[in-house]
Amino acid sequence: MSEEKETCTFSYCEKPEIVEHETDLLLIGGGMACCGSAYEGTQWAKANNLKITMIDKAAADRSGAVAMGLSAINTYVGENKCEDYVRYVRNDLMGITREDLVYDLGRHVDDSVHLFEEWGLPIWKKGDDGFSLDGHQAADAGKTSLKDGGTPVRSGKWQIMINGESYKAIVAEAAKKSLEENRVATGVEQNLFERVFIVRLFKDANDPNRVAAAVGLSVRENKMYIFKAKGIVLAAGGAVNCFRPRSVGEGQGRAWYPVWNSGSGYALGMQAGAKLTLMENRMVPARFKDGYGPVGAWFLFFKCKATNSLGEDYCADEAYLKDAREKYTAKYVDKLGTTIRNHLMLNAMKEGKGPIMMRTDLAMQAINKNFVEQLGEKEGKKRVKHLEAEAWEDFLDMCIGQAGLWAGKSVDPAAEHSEIMPTEPYLLGSHAGCAGFWCSGPSDIPGTPDHYHWGYNRMSTVPGLFMAGDICGASGHKFSSGSHAEGRIAAKACIAYILDNPDFVPTPRKTADEMAAELYNPFEIYEKNKTHTTDPAINPHYIKPDMLQARLQKIGDEYFAGISTYYMTSKTMLDEGLKQLTLLKEDSAKMGAANLHELMRCWENYHRILSLEAHARHIMYREETRYPGYYYRGDFNFIDDDKWKLFTTSTYDMESGEFTMGKEELKHIWPE
Ligand code: SFD
Ligand code: AMP
């Protein structure tokens, strides 16, 4: 079926200026993980004057998942035991997790949170009267820092409250300061490249297993960058908009996880041949409807309940629980983790007992009653007013669209409930999801099996390529703080790797011209063919990025367990979907871009195609329903621990487009 492949000869579009940049440690992404890598890497680079370079497709101050800020840090171990954190993550992710990676992260994460506070992040503290002081009140009251034993305000066992509107800007500032220190020490002209979108990793001419360079395009000027590096930390976040979202038409573009995280992390690693694991996993968060507002603070801090529209607690419905225990075993169901909470909510929705209601009104009334009883009418009411403001700030600091929607619909959460529902699926590995790469763990944790460690902590199966944050697989519930800590772990280990391989001289297999021809081909195709029709947006010779994305989302939604099938799929649906996705992949060779923004959009969508294909092939491979509430295999709608309590894996061969599926044995290091 495939037609003659279009190649770019720059006959129709202007060849970009090509910039070559040599470094030692390259950081791809400017999010939480890579900001951790920049800060930590600089410390360890000093002794040998190694060069560090960070690249972000956006501006690091406001890029990635924390761009809008956050109102809680969801992983702070504090007074808890680290092995209990391992158990929490294992339970929430249905028994399958790399306990060595989770424990390692748990023992390092608090140090990152202490740094955030030192750098100016307002962290809520317990007042002397036992009531909460928000970050600013705590600072004014001179409350002790966490590092020195201060008491945070916990919403849940692992979560602490913050005033985090400027969270990312604070963390990025520290990263940029470290990079500047490294730039001056190593005498390079520039080592922070913002608004550069990395499209592809290129293998080395002399060592085919290794990556020699990351190549990207400026989204502001006609300039291509070739970053040659001795070691790379890849942390480009998860994949959003692979599935038709609930927000379509006027709402298109609204989502919970950031639409600008387009699966580049997965695609770049896959094209380099790194092994993926648990890529069948995904996250389907319950969110305030249409505004995509998170629910954690409401459930945990405001102690809010969600019910069906008859006021019944669907998580306590015995009929639902009985059925779920039969299919998915009591040991998982009774933990009531994120997937099972979703599953029970979906039961109520399918029975027509929706909409599902977050009873914010009842929660605020209960708090009101409690405050007035304890503090008296005047002081009680004053504190409630402050807390109501915090209820709004929860979204203003993190998910502005939700606050906008409440205002637009005249909703007062203290006076009425709001609808919640499960969103479209997201591919990620740092939140209540664990899809990502199979990475080496630390070597010092007793009981770690040999196949969990191959030399350098967080190194993927591609030597010199390290992963962190969303794309380091099989170790969910890292969140913002854990991703930062993991970036630090990966950078330190990558520097050790670079020092142990001093003779490596990165020599990309392809020439700069060949790279440019590949990256800018959508420009050439568009300019060459745009006059064939009266409207350049509709042309048989190319496919524009928005069209390609719409088709991709349709395939994901209708065949790979999207919202339109209530997250149901099966071998037959997956087969049909993969057939259509293969056609779309073929069509992507005819992507057309009219400007730099569209050029980025083209490659973003290509990265989504690869991420979604890997996801679907893993769902096909695991013949059970390990994550009910996230997706269902109608043909294997049960959990089968005997056969499938293990890590699924895959490697992608970019030349042939083939996936090789496999398994890795699971070892529990900590008893139940
Ligand atoms: O309410 C390229 N998260 C929450 N974590 C918490 O700790 N507390 C919360 O309250 C959390 N909540 C929350 C969260 C996320 C979102 C979107 C919302 C609410 C609305 C999760 C964390 O944010 C998340 O775990 C971490 O940020 C993950 O870190 P990391 O580093 O894996 O991903 P990133 O920060 O998104 O950074 C990715 C970077 O890569 C860049 N990038 N650069 C160059 N070329 C390319 N091709 C690139 N592709 C991507 C991006 O620009 C970015 O800088 S709540 O839900 O629980
Ligand atoms: P969310 O707002 O859904 O992203 O969740 C934020 C944090 O709260 C995560 O650590 C979740 O695991 C946790 N969480 C959310 N909802 C609940 C719940 N109903 N019970 C326990 N933990 C929850």
Side-chain angles (χ1 to χ4, degrees), residues 28-34 55-58 60 63-66 68-75 167-168 196-199 235-238 256-258 260-265 268 287 292 294-297 398-399 430-431 468-471 478-484 607:
I28 302 178
M32 288 308 283
C34 274
I55 312 162
D56 196 337
K57 67 188 279 187
S63 72
V66 188
M68 282 195 270
L70 296 175
S71 49
I73 286 177
N74 286 338
T75 301
Y167 187 1
K168 184 64 191 328
V196 173
F197 180 84
I198 298 298
V199 173
W256 162 64
Y257 224 50
W260 44 84
N261 280 4
S262 55
S264 298
L268 295 172
R287 290 291 176 256
Y292 286 86
V295 295
M398 169 166 65
C399 197
S430 71
H431 202 289
D470 268 323
I471 60 167
K478 309 168 195 180
F479 294 99
S480 58
S481 48
S483 299
H484 187 269
H607 291 170

Side-chain angles (χ1 to χ4, degrees), residues 233-543:
V233 173
L234 175 58
V240 177
N241 272 345
C242 291
F243 293 83
R244 187 185 288 142
R246 291 204 181 274
S247 53
V248 290
E250 181 203 23
Q252 178 81 27
R254 186 83 202 91
W256 162 64
Y257 224 50
V259 291
W260 44 84
N261 280 4
S262 55
S264 298
Y266 295 126
L268 295 172
M270 288 166 66
Q271 293 172 312
K275 182 186 277 186
L276 283 165
T277 188
L278 299 182
M279 202 57 192
E280 66 273 19
N281 179 272
R282 52 173 58 183
M283 187 176 177
V284 174
R287 290 291 176 256
F288 283 81
K289 187 166 179 294
D290 300 335
Y292 286 86
V295 295
W298 279 97
F299 277 126
L300 299 174
F301 183 71
F302 295 105
K303 308 288 180 253
C304 198
K305 275 249 170 280
T307 67
N308 64 24
S309 277
L310 310 174
E312 302 157 343
D313 179 355
Y314 52 84
C315 281
D317 182 296
E318 264 319 315
Y320 295 168
L321 290 167
K322 181 170 175 299
D323 171 70
R325 290 186 185 112
E326 278 156 18
K327 288 184 181 133
Y328 313 121
T329 73
K331 85 170 171 186
Y332 296 125
V333 171
D334 295 345
K335 299 271 177 12
L336 272 184
T338 313
T339 60
I340 298 298
R341 293 194 301 266
N342 267 18
H343 171 69
L344 300 169
M345 182 194 288
L346 288 167
N347 280 355
M349 291 167 73
K350 286 180 199 165
E351 283 189 351
K353 292 182 177 168
I356 303 297
M357 294 305 183
M358 189 65 119
R359 311 308 307 252
T360 57
D361 50 337
L362 301 180
M364 294 310 277
Q365 285 154 24
I367 291 171
N368 191 354
K369 185 164 169 291
N370 170 22
F371 276 28
V372 171
E373 274 163 14
Q374 293 206 35
L375 301 164
E377 190 69 22
K378 188 161 169 289
E379 183 56 21
K381 287 250 177 287
K382 196 171 118 228
R383 297 275 182 109
V384 168
K385 268 274 149 272
H386 184 77
L387 214 58
E388 280 173 7
E390 287 300 346
W392 281 88
E393 183 148 347
D394 175 38
F395 292 139
L396 289 170
D397 277 0
M398 169 166 65
C399 197
I400 301 161
Q402 184 62 49
L405 194 70
W406 268 354
K409 293 169 81 172
S410 312
V411 171
D412 171 4
E416 63 182 289
H417 51 242
S418 285
E419 185 179 355
I420 63 171
M421 68 170 9
T423 70
E424 65 278 6
Y426 301 97
L427 307 180
L428 50 77
S430 71
H431 202 289
C434 53
F437 290 96
W438 181 252
C439 292
S440 172
S443 58
D444 66 323
I445 298 175
T448 301
D450 295 345
H451 69 286
Y452 279 16
H453 170 71
W454 47 95
Y456 300 88
N457 204 347
R458 299 312 193 273
M459 190 165 80
S460 71
T461 53
V462 171
L465 182 59
F466 291 67
M467 308 295 188
D470 268 323
I471 60 167
C472 177
S475 50
H477 287 271
K478 309 168 195 180
F479 294 99
S480 58
S481 48
S483 299
H484 187 269
E486 190 163 62
R488 297 172 64 187
I489 294 167
K492 181 181 174 191
C494 190
I495 285 187
Y497 179 86
I498 292 167
L499 293 172
D500 291 348
N501 296 274
D503 308 331
F504 177 61
V505 180
T507 319
R509 236 189 272 175
K510 292 224 173 155
T511 65
D513 286 351
E514 287 168 329
M515 294 169 177
E518 180 180 334
L519 266 64
Y520 289 76
N521 201 18
F523 265 174
E524 182 91 338
I525 291 173
Y526 178 80
E527 294 303 328
K528 180 177 169 193
N529 298 294
K530 68 181 181 186
T531 55
H532 281 277
T533 54
T534 50
D535 178 346
I538 302 164
N539 189 306
H541 295 280
Y542 51 71
I543 182 169

